Every structure is written in C-alpha cells, then in structure tokens.
Amino acid sequence: AEEGVSVWNSAGTWEEKDVSKWAVDSFTACLSGISLDFSCGRVECGDLKLNESSASVVKVRGKRRNLFDFNCTVPFEAEIDGESVKGKANFADIAPDCDGEYECQIEWDETPGNAVRMKANKYIRDGKLKEEVESRVGAWVESFKAKYS
C-alpha cells in the first residue's frame, strides 16, 4: 500500500491522523512572547490559552489536507497614551477556511475610557496585535505542512 494509506484502504478514500498534541504544543509556543510597540504605546501578551483545539492530517482520494481549528485567548497588558489597561484578545476561529485572517474581539478586565478604547481597537484588535497573530499563525501553518507533508 502507498505510504500513509492503510492496507484496508487501498483506494485511498479516507485516512485521518489526529495530530492535536503536536499542534497544541507548537501552536502555543508559536504565539507566546508577543510584545509590540506602536505609536501611542506598547502591548505585552501573556501565555496563550487554548479554549478549543484540534488538528489532523486527512488524506482523501490521494490528496493530503492539514486541518486545524483553534479558539484561543491572548491575555495582554498595554500602555496606551500613558494609561495602563488589561484585557484579553479573543480569536474564536483560527482555521484553514479563514484564509489567514482571524477576527479578534477584546474583552477588558476593566473598560478604559473611550479614547483609549478606540486606540486599543485600532492597534490591538484591528492592527499590530492582530497582524502579529496572523503572521505567526501563517508561519505555524507552514511548519504544520512541512512536518506532515
């Protein structure tokens, strides 16, 4: 039988291997230690918390697909215009069908004033932090493909 295909599945119709353990460990490491400066401040992120996670390598009719689905929270502390704020950046859907763009929602420990909140939305939710997470996830996807190609 072809490599990666079970003897019982000589037609290669469907094979699936759960790689969640590797994915969770490597994904968590990939998104750890984020620290960014922006024009009106800085953001430091804590340890990533995975709320839900799964990853598998699927072979369907001879074609390999690397599937993953993560729901994660990135706690952060930020200094914006001299004001210290804390919160969590929630990424509810990190999956291949998102095309590398992941929606981010901010949950505040204590809601800041409107001006600071608007800048946080600009630089954290919609800007630098979101872009950094997307970049790091993109690098992780490449390592996933390389490991299980």
Side-chain angles (χ1 to χ4, degrees):
E2 184 183 340
E3 185 179 336
V5 176
S6 298
V7 173
W8 62 266
N9 190 10
S10 60
T13 54
W14 181 269
E15 291 279 328
E16 183 172 5
K17 179 180 179 183
D18 184 352
V19 295
S20 294
K21 169 84 174 94
W22 174 85
V24 164
D25 292 346
S26 60
F27 189 83
T28 301
C30 179
L31 289 179
S32 293
I34 297 175
S35 177
L36 302 166
D37 292 310
F38 42 91
S39 62
C40 61
R42 173 172 190 71
V43 64
E44 297 267 348
C45 297
D47 292 336
L48 173 80
K49 178 181 182 258
L50 283 171
N51 305 313
E52 295 176 30
S53 60
S54 65
S56 59
V57 178
V58 176
K59 193 164 188 180
V60 180
R61 301 197 191 288
K63 185 171 181 176
R64 187 178 307 273
R65 294 191 181 125
N66 295 39
L67 304 178
F68 56 90
D69 191 7
F70 295 107
N71 172 323
C72 63
T73 301
V74 181
F76 67 85
E77 293 184 17
E79 180 88 15
I80 301 172
D81 287 340
E83 185 175 335
S84 294
V85 293
K86 290 182 182 182
K88 298 169 191 71
N90 296 311
F91 294 87
D93 188 26
I94 296 179
D97 62 353
C98 297
D99 296 324
E101 293 185 19
Y102 311 108
E103 184 178 334
C104 176
Q105 295 297 323
I106 294 179
E107 181 183 329
W108 297 104
D109 290 1
E110 194 173 303
T111 306
N114 197 43
V116 169
R117 193 170 63 249
M118 287 176 62
K119 286 185 179 179
N121 286 343
K122 178 180 178 183
Y123 292 104
I124 296 173
R125 186 191 70 193
D126 302 326
K128 294 261 191 183
L129 179 60
K130 180 180 183 290
E131 292 163 3
E132 181 68 15
V133 167
E134 289 172 345
S135 173
R136 289 182 181 214
V137 170
W140 177 84
V141 168
E142 292 307 311
S143 72
F144 185 17
K145 289 177 182 176
K147 182 163 180 70
Y148 295 102
S149 59

